[in-house]
Amino acid sequence: MEQLNKKLNKIMVVGKNYEMPFSKGILARSLTAIGMKPTQSYKLASEIESILKKEGITSILMDDLRTRVYYHLLTKNYDTIAEKYLLWRNILKKHPIIILIGGASGVGTSTIAFELASRLGIPSVMGTDSIREVIRRSISKDLVPVLYNSSYDAWKSLRLPVENFGCDKHIIGFERHIEPVLIGIEGIIDRSLTEGSSIIIEGTHIVPGIMSEKYSLMPNIITIVLTLSSEEMHKQRFSARAKVSARPMERYIDNFKIIRKINDYIVENAKYQNTPVIENISISDSVNNVLEIISDRFESIENMDNE
Ligand SMILES: Nc1ncnc2c1ncn2[C@@H]1O[C@H](COP(=O)(O)OP(=O)(O)O)[C@@H](O)[C@H]1O
Ligand SMILES: O=C(O)[C@@H](COP(=O)(O)O)OP(=O)(O)O
């Protein structure tokens, strides 16, 4: 095998449970995640690859690769980045990180989730609309009709006449709609914690304060809410999405007032729960904001070891 790797000029990176070919892209993204400019990250990753090849290495342990990256950063005078790199790698290695990204339809939860996953090397991203689809298969429409609507038109399936609801019927519909989905979300979180694997769960069904309280006490479960204060910008996101997916914008524009109400409701809950709220105007600013929030949690995540 080693001979073959040499012939193919391939370097295998060996982790605890898996091995994969060395990728400059993956290494560069992990450096970008801690604040290095993409061009510098890629240059550094290329330098490390050249050194490994020059030394005739065909297989390297993940831990050894980390150490090499750390020292290479030091030799290039990236001292702060080197320390940050070590800290991030140690945290991600020792603890599963569960990132929950909530926000009304169209504010950008899936976009930010995928971007974050790529930067952090988190292998799983799960949309709450997919979780909802699974739950739909196990709960009949007759039993929970609101589950079969979208978040913004669930109110149409409320059984009692709408005037019987003291509160806002759209919000009651939304709350009833997300409730069964929470069972699935919590199941996935529990499974990830038991397996020790990191995951990002995103979608409109993530509402601060509505999930079981035990999760808010775990520092490695990080909830973030995205919003757009500008209604105009929010509307434009639906048309942008319609251009690249099979989701027509009309449905969302027709229900826009209710979607905005859901946005305000999620943001209000977030503020009440001290959950960070990010204005998702620029993708890179939003991602950097989330990365900062995660690194602010490092100390408490590390302390989990001592409890
Ligand atoms: N920060 C951003 N800047 C510009 N466009 C964005 C940004 N975030 C998301 N988008 C775009 O907006 C649309 C809706 O985003 P999406 O992630 O599908 O929303 P959600 O998952 O919250 O419904 C997509 O076309 C996406 O590419
Ligand atoms: O229920 C909802 O608000 C959206 C959630 O999906 P995102 O827009 O958040 O991806 O799903 P829909 O039923 O419109 O397919």
Side-chain angles (χ1 to χ4, degrees):
M1 194 64 180
E2 208 169 306
Q3 287 305 320
L4 185 65
N5 285 340
K6 203 161 210 158
K7 229 176 176 173
L8 295 172
N9 210 10
K10 238 181 167 176
I11 304 161
M12 295 308 289
V13 180
V14 184
K16 216 159 97 195
N17 306 311
Y18 62 93
E19 64 174 57
M20 61 177 172
F22 176 90
S23 155
K24 283 193 287 272
I26 294 178
L27 178 54
R29 277 199 297 275
S30 70
L31 295 170
T32 318
I34 48 172
M36 206 176 216
K37 289 207 176 82
T39 44
Q40 286 172 331
S41 305
Y42 200 78
K43 185 169 171 268
L44 215 119
S46 304
E47 284 169 9
I48 288 170
E49 185 186 50
S50 309
I51 295 171
L52 295 174
K53 281 189 174 160
K54 222 187 229 163
E55 291 180 18
I57 289 173
T58 53
S59 165
I60 183 166
L61 291 173
M62 185 68 92
D63 279 345
D64 293 343
L65 178 62
R66 280 193 195 108
T67 313
R68 272 175 178 265
V69 174
Y70 172 69
Y71 284 111
H72 191 75
L73 285 165
L74 287 182
T75 57
K76 298 283 166 176
N77 295 325
Y78 288 117
D79 296 27
T80 320
I81 298 270
E83 293 314 322
K84 235 174 156 182
Y85 173 80
L86 213 56
L87 189 62
W88 271 90
R89 284 359 283 167
N90 282 340
I91 294 277
L92 291 173
K93 196 174 102 181
K94 278 201 281 186
H95 302 282
I97 304 268
I98 318 280
I99 307 175
L100 307 174
I101 308 179
S105 181
V107 297
T109 57
S110 31
T111 308
I112 300 304
F114 279 104
E115 194 60 35
L116 265 175
S118 142
R119 293 257 206 118
L120 292 173
I122 292 182
S124 320
V125 177
M126 178 74 71
T128 57
D129 42 1
S130 304
I131 301 172
R132 175 179 64 185
E133 214 49 53
V134 175
I135 303 286
R136 278 178 181 161
R137 304 294 154 110
S138 57
I139 302 178
S140 84
K141 191 171 182 175
D142 292 333
L143 201 62
V144 188
V146 281
L147 178 63
Y148 285 77
N149 287 91
S150 294
S151 67
Y152 41 81
D153 63 4
W155 64 276
K156 290 182 181 162
S157 294
L158 292 172
R159 282 183 193 276
L160 288 171
V162 287
E163 55 273 17
N164 282 20
F165 294 102
C167 303
D168 189 305
K169 66 180 183 213
H170 299 133
I171 296 300
I172 304 258
F174 174 65
E175 285 175 339
R176 300 264 168 92
H177 172 79
I178 62 173
E179 219 174 317
V181 183
L182 291 179
I183 302 167
I185 297 175
E186 294 186 354
I188 290 171
I189 297 178
D190 290 346
R191 178 75 194 170
S192 302
L193 290 171
T194 324
E195 270 186 4
S197 51
S198 298
I199 189 166
I200 304 181
I201 306 177
E202 57 80 20
T204 197
H205 306 87
I206 306 274
V207 180
I210 294 203
M211 250 181 297
S212 164
E213 214 184 329
K214 68 173 182 184
Y215 300 118
S216 59
L217 304 172
M218 298 182 190
N220 57 332
I221 300 184
I222 297 146
T223 309
I224 278 142
V225 158
L226 299 184
T227 189
L228 277 169
S229 297
S230 156
E231 294 200 353
E232 218 28 64
M233 206 178 265
H234 195 173
K235 266 190 194 154
Q236 281 164 11
R237 296 281 165 91
F238 292 118
S239 56
R241 185 165 73 182
K243 284 186 192 130
V244 292
S245 77
R247 300 172 88 183
M249 64 178 274
E250 290 74 21
R251 193 151 56 107
Y252 301 92
I253 298 299
D254 290 347
N255 289 286
F256 190 64
K257 275 209 166 85
I258 304 175
I259 293 175
R260 288 303 297 175
K261 220 186 250 185
I262 292 173
N263 168 74
D264 296 348
Y265 172 80
I266 299 175
V267 169
E268 225 170 84
N269 270 271
K271 286 185 178 156
Y272 191 69
Q273 298 288 330
N274 283 325
T275 300
V277 178
I278 295 174
E279 276 281 344
N280 179 28
I281 294 172
S282 119
I283 297 179
S284 61
D285 285 353
S286 300
V287 170
N288 288 337
N289 251 314
V290 180
L291 293 172
E292 255 173 53
I293 292 164
I294 302 174
S295 48
D296 285 349
R297 287 275 188 102
F298 278 173
E299 205 178 320
S300 17
I301 297 176
E302 287 245 82
N303 286 341
M304 284 169 60
D305 286 342
N306 312 323
E307 281 164 13

